[in-house]
Amino acid sequence: MACFFRRRIAAKLGRTLQQPEEVLIPALSAVPVFKKQQNPDFKLSVGLLRMNGILPSSGDIQQQTEKLATQLKQDSVVENISAGSGVVNFRINRKLLIQKLLEPFGKEGNDKFGLNSELFNSLKRGTTLVEYSSPNIAKKFHAGHLRSTIIGNFIANLKQALGYDVIRMNYLGDWGMQFGLLGAGFSQFGSQEKLKQNPLQHLFEVYVQVNKEAEQNENMRLAARDFFRQLERRESEAVSLWQQFREITVEEYQHVYKRLGVHFDIYSGESFHQDRAQEVLQQLQTGGLLKTTEKGTGVVDVSPAGDMSNVCTVLRSDGTTLYITRDIAAAIDRKEKYYFDEMIYVTDKSQANHFQQLFQILLKMGHPWADRCLHVPFGLVQGMKTRTGDVVFLEDVLDEARARMLHNMSQSKTTKEMDNPEDTAEKVGISALIVQDFKGPLFSDYKFDWDRILQAQGDTGVFLQYSHARLCSLIRRNEELKGATFDPSLLLEQSSITIVQHLLRYDEVLYQSAQDLQPKHLVNFLLKLCHLIASAHRELPVKGSPEEVAQARIRLFAGACSVLAGGMRILGIIPVEKM
Ligand code: ARG
């Protein structure tokens, strides 16, 4: 495995440099592969050793590199050591490399590959609370909520795979004036029957209608305010209507999230923190942090100089609390309930300032753990439309992805017979959405285009699924060879070596993604893997090869398939076995 070799090289280096292995490991990395090119397997960054004070930072770096390369002696594992530019290159004995890497993929497969690497030793594993999706009841579920859902799910999956305890939380927008409007207008525009049939859509329709009405009708506005006040006073009739709206929404969402392969441990929401928000105001007051403005609003000074040049409003002049006040209360409550070691919020970048203010206020209130709260911001998606128009509901996006994929599959000559084509189309369609979304830096905006994301060729989720299904079918057809012993010396062709070398990087790629919480490292790694697999299919046929060669090749494909499937699952993609 990658870690076996990394440790082996680190030990060798350690003896020469008189340093413990652990400090050398971070300077070692697997070399990214280029097709059709002989690569070393690992490289050591001499620049990094200088930066860390392991080598003197004065003097010519190239001379240092060459000296180190000659000092290090090759052996039966590390066959070749040479100086490159600013790096020392290491080449592992081919047979041993292949054997060690493919060994774990016997009969049972291996879903832990790469996850026990020593690279993760430095991670402070603990409890991570990830808050994501967080749509607003009766309002649109827009592309931003979809992004939050899949990004948050990825972060939670990744952390979980690396051994963290993960709490997945959905923080619903289930409080505020929209409930005043809904409550006041439901008797007029709503129907219990429609609410049961299609809750999300019906609540949204009613909300739009009441809003329109309220624009022209003063009485509707007054009624809405009145209803919201009843809610805030916890009057039972108002509360039970609100509760019904909320319950029915959560149920419906759970159903749609399931299609997406997403789940939550907790459905929290703004409504839960209404009372504590008042407490927060008290605490701010006692701590001398709450200032009253001329307009009668309550603010907290968040300017670096403390001169009120940047303030955050936490209290309206009519005594009601705001989004941020509830967020302060919610954060404190979560810390007390779940003892998280870190908390991650996933929303679009327009809320970056909101979260920075939130963390600052928490710190000012004497909560040092606010330093371990993190906002992961992402960019906007333009033009996510369905045949019927703008995206209003998550379900619309999923239906559209499924319908388009089903159509493409029916057009393709390679499509296999399958039991449930809808289900496959849905999974493949969703993976197309995810891969498109994860390919670049999360912070970037992008233009959405169904045709592009659903292409079967090129770097898409469809390509990942297709590669996986093709591997599965090859392995199915050669079931009896899977798990047989294999002879690594029969895998010395360039196309199998590049795959194995590429697999060497898997733990590093996960590590990178865990550091900056960006899925692009993993996505691009898997896409590259699929390209390498495609060449291997051409160059390393199983059918018609002598049995031992076929056995060895199946082992290679089984290893690639297992890593591909594992990586896809971390991204939140359910790999299909046939398509
Ligand atoms: N419901 C909010 C929205 O749709 C997102 C909530 C984000 N999380 C939070 N703790 N403020 O914009």
Side-chain angles (χ1 to χ4, degrees):
M1 299 238 266
C3 40
F4 170 83
F5 296 117
R6 218 185 279 109
R7 226 177 289 127
R8 186 74 192 225
I9 300 171
K12 182 186 285 293
L13 270 165
R15 285 190 295 274
T16 306
L17 296 172
Q18 310 270 306
Q19 295 281 342
E21 279 171 44
E22 305 87 70
V23 303
L24 298 165
I25 281 178
L28 275 169
S29 55
V31 178
V33 295
F34 293 99
K35 252 197 250 171
K36 308 259 181 282
Q37 195 177 308
Q38 297 271 353
N39 274 309
D41 305 306
F42 287 93
K43 62 178 189 228
L44 171 80
S45 159
V46 175
L48 213 60
L49 294 185
R50 285 161 58 116
M51 244 162 61
N52 297 342
I54 294 168
L55 284 177
S57 57
S58 57
D60 183 63
I61 184 165
Q62 201 51 34
Q63 266 173 15
Q64 246 168 359
T65 306
E66 272 154 36
K67 180 163 164 230
L68 189 56
T70 41
Q71 277 174 332
L72 293 163
K73 293 280 164 283
Q74 48 205 53
D75 57 34
S76 59
V77 178
V78 188
E79 257 184 10
N80 189 300
I81 300 170
S82 63
S85 127
V87 293
V88 179
N89 291 318
F90 302 87
R91 208 177 98 116
I92 307 293
N93 172 287
R94 268 30 206 145
K95 256 170 72 176
L96 201 60
L97 176 73
I98 290 168
Q99 184 182 352
K100 276 273 171 212
L101 240 82
L102 297 180
E103 210 162 53
F105 302 104
K107 189 99 198 134
E108 259 72 65
N110 184 323
D111 52 9
K112 289 273 167 292
F113 180 83
L115 295 173
N116 298 323
S117 163
E118 75 280 347
L119 289 182
F120 305 129
N121 290 351
S122 65
L123 297 178
K124 288 185 202 69
R125 293 187 185 87
T127 301
T128 301
L129 193 154
V130 192
E131 187 222 275
Y132 56 106
S133 199
S134 309
N136 304 317
I137 294 180
K139 295 193 182 167
K140 271 190 190 181
F141 186 103
H142 50 70
H145 292 123
L146 175 60
R147 280 204 93 178
S148 170
T149 309
I150 59 180
I151 295 168
N153 186 48
F154 156 73
I155 293 174
N157 292 346
L158 176 66
K159 293 265 176 184
Q160 203 168 334
L162 296 181
Y164 291 71
D165 284 320
V166 175
I167 300 172
R168 298 162 185 258
M169 181 181 276
N170 197 330
Y171 182 69
L172 296 176
D174 60 357
W175 202 248
M177 213 25 167
Q178 83 245 41
F179 286 96
L181 285 158
L182 273 180
F186 193 78
S187 55
Q188 197 174 335
F189 302 105
S191 118
Q192 280 292 343
E193 201 175 310
K194 285 192 187 158
L195 188 63
K196 298 229 161 69
Q197 265 160 20
N198 203 339
L200 299 186
Q201 180 157 354
H202 187 56
L203 279 183
F204 180 67
E205 280 162 6
V206 174
Y207 180 61
V208 171
Q209 266 173 321
V210 190
N211 255 307
K212 216 184 276 162
E213 179 70 19
E215 267 169 34
Q216 310 141 1
N217 184 345
E218 165 83 24
N219 283 340
M220 184 51 93
R221 290 201 291 276
L222 289 176
R225 218 163 299 150
D226 190 51
F227 190 92
F228 190 54
R229 220 167 290 140
Q230 289 174 33
L231 263 184
E232 293 219 310
R233 276 196 243 106
R234 295 281 187 271
E235 288 181 20
S236 63
E237 219 169 298
V239 169
S240 79
L241 189 63
W242 167 83
Q243 213 153 25
Q244 192 199 2
F245 292 160
R246 189 185 195 277
E247 270 166 23
I248 237 163
T249 304
V250 169
E251 240 170 72
E252 185 69 8
Y253 265 122
Q254 274 173 326
H255 182 73
V256 194
Y257 285 133
K258 200 166 172 200
R259 284 178 64 185
L260 197 54
V262 169
H263 75 277
F264 294 91
D265 301 312
I266 301 155
Y267 281 85
S268 155
E270 293 183 45
S271 65
F272 288 54
H273 306 289
Q274 200 44 32
D275 300 338
R276 293 276 318 247
Q278 293 295 337
E279 244 173 75
V280 162
L281 289 169
Q282 280 300 319
Q283 287 165 11
L284 288 169
Q285 180 88 50
T286 339
L289 293 166
L290 188 68
K291 307 268 174 357
T292 310
T293 64
E294 281 165 17
K295 284 185 240 142
T297 58
V299 299
V300 177
D301 184 7
V302 285
S303 61
D307 58 1
M308 300 286 280
S309 60
N310 187 10
V311 298
C312 172
T313 308
V314 292
L315 177 66
R316 289 205 189 85
S317 54
D318 66 1
T320 57
T321 58
L322 290 90
Y323 181 52
I324 188 143
T325 332
R326 294 191 279 277
D327 253 329
I328 302 169
I332 297 171
D333 189 57
R334 291 174 194 177
K335 180 68 187 171
E336 287 169 4
K337 273 210 185 87
Y338 307 111
Y339 310 105
F340 61 76
D341 297 293
E342 61 175 349
M343 172 154 66
I344 300 173
Y345 296 90
V346 187
T347 78
D348 72 70
K349 59 191 178 191
S350 73
Q351 297 200 35
N353 192 39
H354 166 81
F355 286 105
Q356 291 328 309
Q357 293 191 336
L358 169 63
F359 304 154
Q360 269 190 56
I361 294 174
L362 286 167
L363 281 178
K364 280 184 195 288
M365 291 176 78
H367 298 299
W369 47 263
D371 274 336
R372 295 189 301 282
C373 293
L374 191 73
H375 175 226
V376 176
F378 55 80
L380 305 176
V381 184
Q382 288 127 8
M384 187 181 281
K385 292 215 165 43
T386 66
R387 257 165 258 228
T388 45
D390 273 338
V391 169
V392 180
F393 306 109
L394 173 55
E395 203 170 9
D396 298 340
V397 190
L398 302 185
D399 289 348
E400 183 83 11
R402 179 173 61 192
R404 284 179 181 263
M405 198 54 224
L406 208 52
H407 173 78
N408 291 3
M409 279 162 45
S410 70
Q411 302 290 305
S412 158
K413 290 190 290 288
T414 59
T415 301
K416 304 274 176 306
E417 279 283 326
M418 54 189 102
D419 301 334
N420 190 346
E422 274 89 12
D423 184 57
T424 302
E426 172 141 310
K427 292 193 172 111
V428 179
I430 289 169
S431 63
L433 286 168
I434 293 178
V435 167
Q436 158 67 37
D437 200 88
F438 286 3
K439 256 194 309 193
L442 293 178
F443 202 76
S444 305
D445 302 339
Y446 71 87
K447 252 211 167 68
F448 190 84
D449 176 351
W450 283 109
D451 289 331
R452 207 188 49 227
I453 75 164
L454 290 171
Q455 276 167 14
Q457 303 294 318
D459 289 344
T460 63
V462 183
F463 175 53
L464 285 190
Q465 289 283 22
Y466 171 74
S467 310
H468 180 261
R470 189 174 174 196
L471 285 171
C472 288
S473 123
L474 177 69
I475 295 165
R476 262 197 312 272
R477 273 182 278 124
N478 295 281
E479 196 58 47
E480 72 290 351
L481 300 182
K482 201 186 160 206
T485 50
F486 76 106
D487 177 357
S489 60
L490 298 172
L491 287 173
L492 295 178
E493 294 90 349
Q494 187 57 26
S495 30
S496 54
I497 290 181
T498 15
I499 289 184
V500 168
Q501 283 184 319
H502 189 61
L503 297 184
L504 276 178
R505 285 191 59 225
Y506 188 55
D507 57 351
E508 291 175 20
V509 165
L510 293 177
Y511 182 75
Q512 245 176 330
S513 281
Q515 289 300 300
D516 62 10
L517 302 180
Q518 298 286 322
K520 64 175 182 183
H521 312 295
L522 180 54
V523 171
N524 293 314
F525 172 87
L526 296 179
L527 287 167
K528 174 101 191 204
L529 176 61
C530 289
H531 286 294
L532 297 175
I533 292 168
S535 324
H537 276 304
R538 280 192 302 276
E539 289 156 28
L540 307 173
V542 173
K543 201 172 153 188
S545 301
E547 170 138 350
E548 286 189 349
V549 175
Q551 269 169 0
R553 289 181 180 173
I554 283 293
R555 177 63 70 102
L556 173 72
F557 287 118
C561 184
S562 169
V563 176
L564 176 57
M568 286 165 81
R569 285 205 187 86
I570 291 177
L571 292 176
I573 296 173
I574 304 165
V576 302
E577 299 190 353
K578 240 186 210 181
M579 72 177 272

